[in-house]
Amino acid sequence: MARKTMIEAIRDAMDVMMGRDDDVVVFGEDVGFFGGVFRATQGLQAKYGTRRCFDTPISELGIVGVAVGMAAYGLRPCVEIQFADYMYPAYDQIVSEAARLRYRSNGQFTCPLVVRMPTGGGIFGGQTHSQSPEALFTHVCGLKTVVPSNPADAKGLLIAAIEDPDPVIFLEPKRLYNGPFDGHHDRPVTPWSNHELGEVPEGHYVVPLGTSAIRREGSALTILAYGSMVHVAMTAAAETGVDAEIIDLRTLLPLDLHAIQASVRKTGRCVIVHEATLTSGFGAELSALVQETCFYHLEAPVVRVAGWDTPYPHAQEWDYFPGPGRVGRALLETMAA
Amino acid sequence: MATAAETRKRTGKSRDTSVDQELLLQAYRDMLLIRRFEEKAGQLYGMGLIGGFCHLYIGQEAVVVGMQMALTPGDEVITSYRDHGHMLATGMDPRGVMAELTGRSGGYSHGKGGSMHMFSKEKNFFGGHGIVGAQVSLGTGLAFSNWYRSNDRVAVTYFGEGASNQGQVFESFNLAALMKLPVVYVIENNKYGMGTHVERASASRDLSKNGAPWSIPSIQVDGMDVVAVKEAGDQAVAHCRAGKGPFLIEAKTYRYRGHSMSDPARYRTREEIQTMRTQHDPIDGARHRLEALGVDESVFKQIDDEVKAQVQEAADFAQSSPEPDERELWTDVLLED
């Protein structure tokens, strides 16, 4: 098995699916000739031709709208929005068309569409290149929302997403493309080649949507995390010595509630972490579910650690980003509660 | 430092007079300031003093300087993320622009915005916008406001050929034409949207005709020729001030550097760049005109020295200005009590 970066794993997933299924088409801004701004589609046009991997104009609404039509017809478009922050013009098509086509056609038409988007901060992108809009998708019934945290999962999840009969929003934490970023921005980057989850199996395999993974077993407290914050949580647990059980949700919808309940009922404590702003973030949903289904097992209030309720700042990126220091403090406070 | 527009006002030249020596010298200085500023920004980026995104305007200087010469103080200017040149041309302080690039408290947005997101109410510069094409609708709204206030102002709305395919650009064209709004749309066609050549993204082969369905009059102009741009600007502005509605200018230009600092630039040949630099450079072009008018070498030397000192001062300021206070993260989310 080869060790790969997350970008290579994502490219691998599209390559595998384009090879297996002529109906899979890949397109977006700079996706064809240039190979994608983060190189996710490099080589795909050369291998599969301009019919199946192509550049589009800068027109996010158009990209997604056309893809919805293709999907309704029976193709399997896998499109890239260059940054999740560019998604908003396409939001109408995602919400009003992609997510709702099955319901309003009584199942006659479906939308097997994947919309890939780099998400999150950590690259000094400022407010238009750093946002984490996952809650805007999880609030929309009819969509599935996926956030991988490592190369091995990214490939299996993306293959599952492309094979899925319904629209899937695939959010790729861009800071994880080249390594398992632990939130210590002032330290050298660890490459995926040093990480066991950089081991990416060859060929076709699936990580089923709706399954979480326990990244660290523990008995004192449960951390619910996804994407970049999985690695930050691992670091915070190691640095504080709190025996945390860390659940990598992997998919937000469908949600692996069973795994969450099993862990929280065991530990009695729960800290939820995400990069996105706090208010009405996906952590609010998780917190409510934990409270509703684990209340009599809880020994402390459920705590959320998230981005501040501000636009994503430029210079003060690391004041905004919920790094291991902030997460660690929450762990200690929750243990003391 | 007076900008070309201010000089024109002072010398009392009417808008339809061709550019005289004094004005051309000012244009030369303004273009040189942008060039040297951007070169310095590239250096500071290389030294790690500027983080994240940084889109240099080198090569395109004649577009904004030529247009600015056609304007009157009070006219609004709005543009995309490749915005440093526009800010300098409107007379914004190079120190404040550079300090925003370095994310310092002395920057125009106090480090909140970074390279792509800066504003000056004083200069009626409505930003720097990181979302491709989004400013085109805003510029149309500025023009509406001029119409609504019955003033004589014109809103100049810049965007790239890549952005010209966004749906909201055409929505804006329709509204502006329908309501006869005083907006000059300037397409800065530098041939590449990121790594995608215009011919791979636009079915339209003459972007100046993109307003044709709404009968928006237009000019296609050599954007490497500051005098030609100024004259096109004069015509466009006169049209708007006469209450005849929007005007579209396509300025054919070229960026010498990558799309941003991380651009591998494998989508064009070195020869193509060299040809533009050596045969079509806007600053060389202005200089040759001035030499033909008999301007002495010592004049250029003096301008070069003054511009160099001005840019060095901006760079020094941008490094000595303090980091933003921690509280700055929370200011200006909403109006504070």
Side-chain angles (χ1 to χ4, degrees):
Chain A
M1 236 181 339
R3 294 218 167 168
K4 292 185 173 171
T5 67
M6 196 148 125
I7 271 291
E8 290 166 338
I10 286 164
R11 185 189 307 147
D12 212 13
M14 287 185 277
D15 191 1
V16 165
M17 289 310 296
M18 291 178 89
R20 284 167 67 99
D21 184 351
D22 275 346
D23 287 344
V24 176
V25 286
V26 169
F27 56 99
E29 295 157 8
D30 287 304
V31 158
F33 179 81
F34 191 70
V37 63
F38 290 102
R39 323 308 296 162
T41 53
Q42 191 167 33
L44 296 180
Q45 186 175 73
K47 187 167 177 182
Y48 296 102
T50 52
R51 269 180 75 245
R52 298 190 60 203
C53 178
F54 56 90
D55 294 312
T56 65
I58 301 174
S59 170
E60 292 79 14
L61 184 157
I63 292 167
V64 173
V66 167
V68 172
M70 293 161 69
Y73 185 94
L75 300 181
R76 289 188 177 269
C78 177
V79 304
E80 177 178 296
I81 298 294
Q82 200 165 73
F83 285 81
D85 315 68
Y86 300 176
M87 170 279 298
Y88 303 111
Y91 194 60
D92 183 38
Q93 289 291 340
I94 291 171
V95 176
S96 307
E97 305 300 329
R100 304 289 157 73
L101 196 57
R102 179 186 288 278
Y103 191 78
R104 71 167 175 262
S105 71
N106 200 29
Q108 292 182 82
F109 289 99
T110 61
C111 190
L113 158 70
V114 177
V115 185
R116 295 179 37 247
M117 314 178 195
T119 189
I123 65 164
F124 276 110
Q127 59 183 251
T128 53
H129 295 75
S130 308
Q131 296 166 88
S132 297
E134 63 271 15
L136 298 180
F137 302 114
T138 57
H139 190 59
V140 178
C141 47
L143 294 180
K144 298 180 179 180
T145 301
V146 178
V147 191
S149 72
N150 61 75
D153 280 357
K155 179 176 172 183
L157 287 165
L158 183 52
I159 290 175
I162 294 171
E163 292 181 338
D164 198 271
D166 285 303
V168 178
I169 305 298
F170 197 85
L171 295 162
E172 303 165 1
K174 61 176 89 77
R175 185 64 204 237
L176 299 184
Y177 275 151
N178 294 316
F181 177 61
D182 66 3
H184 285 299
H185 62 92
D186 46 357
R187 298 182 190 171
V189 180
T190 312
W192 281 114
S193 56
N194 292 351
H195 195 285
E196 60 178 6
L197 291 169
E199 295 277 351
V200 177
E202 296 297 320
H204 178 278
Y205 68 96
V206 160
V207 173
L209 305 188
T211 60
S212 64
I214 294 177
R215 295 295 171 215
R216 183 188 189 283
E217 288 192 14
S219 58
L221 175 153
T222 300
I223 303 178
L224 303 180
Y226 50 91
S228 58
M229 296 307 288
V230 171
H231 306 283
V232 173
M234 294 289 283
T235 307
E239 289 175 357
T240 56
V242 172
D243 184 24
E245 181 146 292
I246 298 175
I247 299 183
D248 178 354
L249 296 176
R250 302 201 287 200
T251 66
L252 308 188
L253 278 181
L255 181 66
D256 191 355
L257 186 57
H258 181 76
I260 295 171
Q261 288 167 349
S263 180
V264 175
R265 286 173 185 173
K266 178 177 76 174
T267 64
R269 288 177 161 84
C270 183
V271 172
I272 297 159
V273 295
H274 59 61
E275 246 188 271
T277 46
L278 179 75
T279 302
S280 300
F282 191 65
E285 181 66 28
L286 291 172
S287 175
L289 287 168
V290 168
Q291 186 274 134
E292 283 167 14
T293 62
C294 308
F295 183 78
Y296 295 107
H297 295 79
L298 287 174
E299 294 167 34
V302 179
V303 166
R304 291 173 291 160
V305 186
W308 307 123
D309 282 340
T310 71
Y312 207 104
H314 173 66
Q316 294 177 300
E317 171 141 53
W318 301 117
D319 297 310
Y320 174 93
F321 188 91
R326 233 151 90 197
V327 175
R329 281 193 293 282
L331 300 184
L332 294 172
E333 283 165 21
T334 303
M335 289 312 298
Chain B
M1 193 66 62
T3 64
E6 286 159 359
T7 303
R8 180 179 55 66
K9 204 164 186 188
R10 244 190 355 254
T11 53
K13 296 288 178 199
S14 71
R15 274 189 286 281
D16 52 6
T17 312
S18 68
V19 178
D20 65 11
Q21 182 175 312
E22 186 189 355
L23 194 52
L24 192 56
L25 266 175
Q26 186 63 48
Y28 174 83
R29 178 192 292 273
D30 291 350
M31 289 193 289
L32 197 67
L33 173 64
I34 296 172
R35 176 73 54 96
R36 297 287 174 258
F37 180 96
E38 295 290 62
E39 288 168 351
K40 181 62 78 178
Q43 277 175 21
L44 297 184
Y45 196 97
M47 292 160 66
L49 292 164
I50 297 172
F53 291 66
C54 187
H55 309 86
L56 301 181
Y57 196 63
I58 295 175
Q60 300 183 212
E61 296 91 344
V63 179
V64 75
V65 169
M67 280 306 300
Q68 198 67 29
M69 288 158 71
L71 303 184
T72 297
D75 290 336
E76 299 88 4
V77 173
I78 189 166
T79 189
S80 72
Y81 45 83
R82 195 178 306 284
D83 55 356
H84 312 159
H86 301 70
M87 293 186 281
L88 298 178
T90 57
M92 286 169 66
D93 186 340
R95 292 176 303 174
V97 179
M98 197 69 93
E100 188 63 30
L101 297 183
T102 55
R104 302 303 176 92
S105 57
Y108 269 99
S109 296
H110 294 198
K112 287 186 175 96
S115 162
M116 298 180 282
H117 311 115
M118 270 181 265
F119 301 81
S120 169
K121 192 159 189 176
E122 182 200 351
K123 299 294 181 189
N124 261 6
F125 179 72
F126 281 77
H129 294 268
I131 297 296
V132 176
Q135 79 278 11
V136 181
S137 311
L138 273 59
T140 308
L142 299 176
F144 176 91
S145 308
N146 290 333
W147 172 82
Y148 191 74
R149 293 275 189 241
S150 304
N151 64 31
D152 197 28
R153 294 177 180 176
V154 171
V156 181
T157 302
Y158 294 91
F159 51 107
E161 88 291 338
S164 72
N165 294 311
Q166 283 281 23
Q168 61 182 314
V169 171
F170 299 104
E171 296 176 36
S172 299
F173 285 176
N174 181 47
L175 188 72
L178 188 69
M179 301 189 74
K180 292 199 185 306
L181 303 179
V183 52
V184 180
Y185 296 112
V186 182
I187 301 178
E188 297 195 56
N189 182 356
N190 67 18
K191 290 175 70 176
Y192 296 93
M194 173 97 233
T196 299
H197 191 277
V198 59
E199 291 188 4
R200 288 203 306 277
S202 286
S204 171
R205 285 288 169 269
D206 180 352
L207 303 184
S208 73
K209 296 287 186 284
N210 277 16
W214 304 278
S215 303
I216 297 177
S218 64
I219 302 178
Q220 191 178 64
V221 66
D222 178 3
M224 307 302 276
D225 178 347
V226 71
V227 174
V229 173
K230 189 259 182 195
E231 286 171 353
D234 285 341
Q235 188 180 334
V237 167
H239 176 89
C240 288
R241 290 208 214 280
K244 295 178 181 171
F247 198 98
L248 174 59
I249 294 174
E250 182 197 3
K252 305 272 258 187
T253 183
Y254 199 78
R255 63 167 157 77
Y256 297 172
R257 299 290 185 92
H259 166 78
S260 64
M261 304 307 287
S262 58
D263 180 350
R266 287 192 211 108
Y267 48 83
R268 57 183 182 180
T269 62
R270 193 174 289 274
E271 293 70 44
E272 180 181 297
I273 302 171
Q274 272 310 107
T275 302
M276 291 306 292
R277 289 188 90 116
T278 55
Q279 294 173 28
H280 300 280
D281 186 77
I283 298 174
D284 287 350
R287 183 169 175 143
H288 295 328
R289 272 179 211 253
L290 287 162
E291 284 167 351
L293 289 169
V295 174
D296 190 72
E297 172 66 29
S298 63
V299 176
F300 296 115
K301 175 81 171 69
Q302 189 188 343
I303 292 175
D304 289 357
D305 289 346
E306 286 169 6
V307 164
K308 203 173 169 186
Q310 199 181 356
V311 168
Q312 189 56 50
E313 190 194 349
D316 293 343
F317 178 79
Q319 291 169 75
S320 61
S321 174
E323 303 274 350
D325 187 90
E326 202 171 300
R327 282 169 302 184
E328 195 75 71
L329 182 61
W330 291 93
T331 62
D332 294 310
V333 178
L334 291 169
L335 181 65
E336 282 116 51
D337 296 329

